[in-house]
Amino acid sequence: VALTQEWYDFLIYTFLGGVITKLFFPKNNMYAQMIAFYGVFAAGFATRPLGALVFGIISDRYSRKTALMLSIIIMSIPTALVGCLPTYHQAGLAAPVLLVVMRVLQGFAVGGEFTSTMVFLVEHAPPHSRGLHGSWAFASVMVGVIVGSLVAMVFNLALSEQALMSWGWRVPFLLSIIGSGVGVYIRRHLRDPVSEEKEELHHHGGSSRRGPLRRVASGILEVVLLDFMNALGFYLIVIFLPLYMQNFAHLSRGAALSVHTANMVLYLGLIPLGGWLSDKYGRMRVILVPALLMAPAAYPLWCLFKTGNVGAAWFAQAVLVVLMATFTGALPATFVALFPAEYRCTGLSIGHNISMAAFGGTAPMMATGLLQGTRDIASPSALLTISAALTAGGALLLRRWRIW
């Protein structure tokens, strides 16, 4: 519940993108507004590696619970404040500047939150079901995505354009106060995680400090490589597509959000399946196969958005979701297995958040740049193809780690 709340806080900004772009940025042209909007979105990732380092150290040196408590408190404050910000019409350039500050604070909190949760779940899972248990970290994120998408859809359908632009857009941000209170209450009653490290999960060479630290550095690089498709795919398919379907596939705002919400429910349902499959058939296969399928399929699927048909848009996003969700479910248990227990949260947080900051947060901006430069509305698929190829390479390298 707490993780769901934090990702609702972080992503509600994107689901109200059609409103935010008009209220906070100068009215030049559609591409300029989208780049400004996604630039502020990317700013939320700038401090994620710093947050990863700070919360990772707290989690490894003190407790997982302490890190999780601090992150949700730090996240809740700027989210609520976004709902109180003046618009560009009211405050000029101060409005987008304040919005950037709020996003930076949110990014710092998210930096340590997600990876600490992954470690918590996998460490406390039975050895035969670590994939399934770990997958609930990503599933919780998707619940936050669905709630955010549903809230945005309801407000778009229930309110007139004038009401939404005047005051309605503020309410979803202010609602986060209630959810954050519930999250804090739940985490106060968590049992402190205790790493139950066994030799069957991790193999370290020697007891010297140099060995584990070298392994951590290698693990960070492997996380970044495996995370390519996750970073670019998630932020294109989950974050970029709602606004893209409105501006380029020419779907109405209500239709785009309805298609998106339905596919996010599908995404949620398939993530645990991916985790279970990785327990049954091995982590490497469940990561490798979707990546190999995504590389050639991305462009023809993205071409379906050119039709402007609601059914075609739903189908294209649904197939992309199936590939992403299955692959995603296997990641947490794989990531945790890469690091020794004493450096696990720190190493995993740094690797994952470097990937998210460099490739995830910038994915919508890169996609918008491709659209503007090529004038081909299927051009964002190139990012998926490249990232899938890199992830497939990372999956093959898992043999070196004896992770099958």
Side-chain angles (χ1 to χ4, degrees):
V1 174
L3 182 58
T4 294
Q5 172 60 37
E6 276 200 81
W7 280 87
Y8 167 88
D9 289 353
F10 193 64
L11 296 179
I12 190 64
Y13 169 85
T14 64
F15 297 130
L16 291 170
V19 178
I20 297 292
T21 53
K22 296 175 182 178
L23 291 175
F24 280 85
F25 306 109
K27 295 180 180 179
N28 296 321
N29 60 59
M30 180 178 64
Y31 290 108
Q33 281 193 334
M34 286 183 68
I35 289 172
F37 172 75
Y38 287 125
V40 174
F41 176 74
F45 289 76
T47 51
R48 280 185 66 162
L50 178 61
L53 180 61
V54 171
F55 288 109
I57 291 172
I58 291 172
S59 188
D60 285 333
R61 291 192 179 180
Y62 298 99
S63 72
R64 315 294 195 225
K65 178 179 175 180
T66 301
L68 292 171
M69 279 289 295
L70 286 173
S71 67
I72 196 169
I73 292 170
I74 294 173
M75 171 63 87
S76 63
I77 297 170
T79 302
L81 289 176
V82 170
C84 304
L85 291 179
T87 64
Y88 184 83
H89 176 72
Q90 296 167 329
L93 288 175
V97 169
L98 289 171
L99 188 60
V100 168
V101 172
M102 297 302 106
R103 292 294 298 173
V104 165
L105 290 173
Q106 287 182 322
F108 179 82
V110 168
E113 158 68 21
F114 183 51
T115 47
S116 295
T117 302
M118 275 198 278
V119 171
F120 179 95
L121 291 170
V122 175
E123 283 182 343
H124 286 75
H128 64 278
S129 61
R130 286 178 174 132
L132 176 61
H133 280 70
S135 71
W136 289 109
F138 278 105
S140 297
V141 170
M142 291 311 303
V143 174
V145 170
I146 292 167
V147 171
S149 187
L150 279 172
V151 168
M153 183 177 70
V154 167
F155 272 77
N156 272 282
L157 295 175
L159 298 179
S160 66
E161 184 76 8
Q162 183 180 1
L164 187 65
M165 300 293 286
S166 175
W167 59 268
W169 69 272
R170 298 181 184 274
V171 179
F173 292 100
L174 297 173
L175 284 176
S176 70
I177 298 172
I178 299 172
S180 297
V182 174
V184 169
Y185 174 81
I186 290 172
R187 287 189 172 171
R188 284 188 63 184
H189 294 82
L190 279 178
R191 179 174 62 88
D192 266 355
V194 178
S195 178
E196 300 170 355
E197 198 63 33
K198 303 294 182 183
E199 280 299 314
E200 70 267 19
L201 179 60
H202 301 285
H203 306 275
H204 307 313
S207 59
S208 69
R209 191 174 182 84
R210 184 180 177 187
L213 288 178
R214 180 181 293 170
R215 180 187 173 97
V216 169
S218 299
I220 289 172
L221 292 174
E222 178 69 7
V223 167
V224 171
L225 197 54
L226 290 173
D227 236 0
F228 264 104
M229 191 168 104
N230 179 41
L232 284 156
F234 180 87
Y235 288 100
L236 288 177
I237 296 167
V238 176
I239 305 305
F240 180 71
L241 272 179
L243 192 55
Y244 168 89
M245 285 191 283
Q246 296 171 52
N247 289 341
F248 295 97
H250 304 297
L251 272 61
S252 69
R253 187 184 299 162
L257 288 172
S258 298
V259 166
H260 185 71
T261 302
N263 280 320
M264 293 307 97
V265 174
L266 177 64
Y267 206 136
L268 171 63
L270 291 177
I271 289 173
L273 175 63
W276 178 79
L277 288 172
S278 76
D279 288 326
K280 188 172 180 65
Y281 297 107
R283 319 282 185 229
M284 187 184 76
R285 291 178 183 175
V286 179
I287 293 172
L288 180 61
V289 172
L292 291 176
L293 291 173
M294 178 69 84
Y299 183 76
L301 286 171
W302 212 278
C303 283
L304 291 176
F305 292 113
K306 293 182 178 182
T307 65
N309 180 273
V310 173
W314 172 84
F315 177 79
Q317 190 183 26
V319 176
L320 293 170
V321 159
V322 170
L323 296 175
M324 279 296 301
T326 308
F327 145 82
T328 298
L331 288 181
T334 306
F335 285 164
V336 170
L338 293 171
F339 298 96
E342 62 269 31
Y343 305 107
R344 181 171 297 143
C345 275
T346 304
L348 177 51
S349 293
I350 291 171
H352 178 68
N353 285 289
I354 286 174
S355 176
M356 291 298 113
F359 310 112
T362 58
M365 284 185 68
M366 288 190 285
T368 304
L370 282 172
L371 287 166
Q372 186 174 19
T374 65
R375 300 292 172 173
D376 178 2
I377 71 168
S379 57
S381 63
L383 298 173
L384 280 176
T385 299
I386 294 168
S387 65
L390 291 168
T391 290
L396 292 173
L397 289 176
L398 286 173
R399 295 177 183 273
R400 290 182 55 231
W401 299 87
R402 299 182 181 178
I403 297 174
W404 306 99

